[in-house]
Amino acid sequence: MHEGHKGDEGHKGDEGHKGKIRQLAGRTFVSFVAFVSFVSISAEARAEIVFFNTGRTLSIKEHHADPDDDGRLVLTLRSGGEIVCEPSIIDRIAPDEVPYPEPEVVAQVAAPEQTVAAPAVRYGEIIDKVSAEQGVNAKLVRAMIQVESAYHERARSPKGAMGLMQLMPATARQYGVADPYDPASNIEGGIKHLKSLLERLPVALALAAYNAGEAAVQRFNGVPPYPETRSYVSRILSLASR
């Protein structure tokens, strides 16, 4: 990581491990669909763990070969969307023995011409509450959690970043987070840290500082030229604008 939130060890690593989220004709990788009403029941979802060559792991719903690109793999995220990546960046894929409850849609009625409330997001109430208290855009926080951990509260990076908002140990201590894997504590600490950066930097640079460290932003007088950091900032801003 670089200085600041992620330390002096460089940014989170090879951008290849996260693959490339993209859109192909007739298939949208990341989408949100509004429904007039829906009824769901809890079911244990099948899940897998991807072990990347960089040492990072990612919990996914399933994987399959990309029918539109020979040789590539499509990783289906549990939170929605897909990542397309080269098999060479993956060490192995194993079953995830931890059961993950997943809503199963029983009945739904589309409302293409009506504006309805957005689908519920995991930990949405916590995100909205703390964001309002700290004066931070909740949509920005949701996008950050999606990019940081894909809403996997037990996520841990090889550099030691933990939980939903990938707090480094020093950052967790700075904001009094006793258990970085506790969703409420992690979100509160992450939002407070983001707020401190937003008080000094424009949004894009605050996101870059969260990822690569504030010192790196100052050293390059802007978003550092690290592909992973630039992709990180771009993806969050894109998600937050939806």
Side-chain angles (χ1 to χ4, degrees):
M1 308 303 168
H2 294 281
E3 297 94 351
H5 171 57
K6 304 302 183 191
D8 289 331
E9 302 165 88
H11 50 82
K12 291 183 178 175
D14 188 345
E15 67 278 15
H17 78 271
K18 290 191 176 178
K20 179 182 179 184
I21 296 180
R22 57 193 174 96
Q23 292 186 344
L24 298 176
R27 180 171 66 178
T28 301
F29 284 163
V30 181
S31 62
F32 296 95
V33 181
F35 299 105
V36 171
S37 63
F38 65 91
V39 180
S40 64
I41 60 176
S42 177
E44 284 191 3
R46 172 181 172 227
E48 299 173 325
I49 298 181
V50 180
F51 294 83
F52 293 97
N53 295 336
T54 59
R56 288 188 67 105
T57 61
L58 177 67
S59 178
I60 62 172
K61 186 178 295 184
E62 59 91 25
H63 74 281
H64 59 271
D66 185 355
D68 299 304
D69 192 337
D70 292 340
R72 291 197 169 205
L73 289 180
V74 178
L75 310 180
T76 303
L77 303 178
R78 293 191 297 103
S79 56
E82 295 176 333
I83 296 177
V84 180
C85 64
E86 296 289 345
S88 60
I89 70 171
I90 296 175
D91 178 54
R92 61 191 172 92
I93 299 177
D96 191 343
E97 299 180 356
V98 179
Y100 294 99
E102 182 175 277
E104 178 183 340
V105 176
V106 177
Q108 59 190 32
V109 180
E113 297 181 358
Q114 298 184 25
T115 301
V116 296
V121 175
R122 288 185 76 188
Y123 313 115
E125 290 186 4
I126 299 173
I127 294 170
D128 290 343
K129 177 179 179 292
V130 180
S131 294
E133 291 173 350
Q134 299 299 321
V136 174
N137 187 335
K139 291 181 67 176
L140 186 64
V141 174
R142 292 170 192 243
M144 286 185 65
I145 294 176
Q146 176 64 45
V147 173
E148 285 283 0
S149 66
Y151 283 84
H152 184 17
E153 63 272 15
R154 301 298 300 179
R156 180 183 177 89
S157 79
K159 301 298 184 181
M162 300 170 284
L164 293 168
M165 296 192 72
Q166 290 290 274
L167 300 180
M168 292 296 288
T171 306
R173 289 192 297 270
Q174 179 181 354
Y175 295 100
V177 180
D179 180 6
Y181 295 109
D182 173 67
S185 299
N186 187 286
I187 290 171
E188 182 175 358
I191 290 177
K192 286 181 177 179
H193 182 56
L194 176 61
K195 177 185 178 181
S196 73
L197 295 171
L198 289 169
E199 289 176 340
R200 300 187 296 277
L201 300 166
V203 174
L205 295 186
L207 294 175
Y210 194 101
N211 175 261
E214 191 170 357
V217 172
Q218 294 172 349
R219 182 163 62 248
F220 292 101
N221 195 30
V223 177
Y226 314 130
E228 193 270 346
T229 299
R230 292 193 169 184
S231 173
Y232 173 89
V233 173
S234 176
R235 290 173 61 198
I236 291 176
L237 291 178
S238 176
L239 288 172
S241 66
R242 295 179 183 179

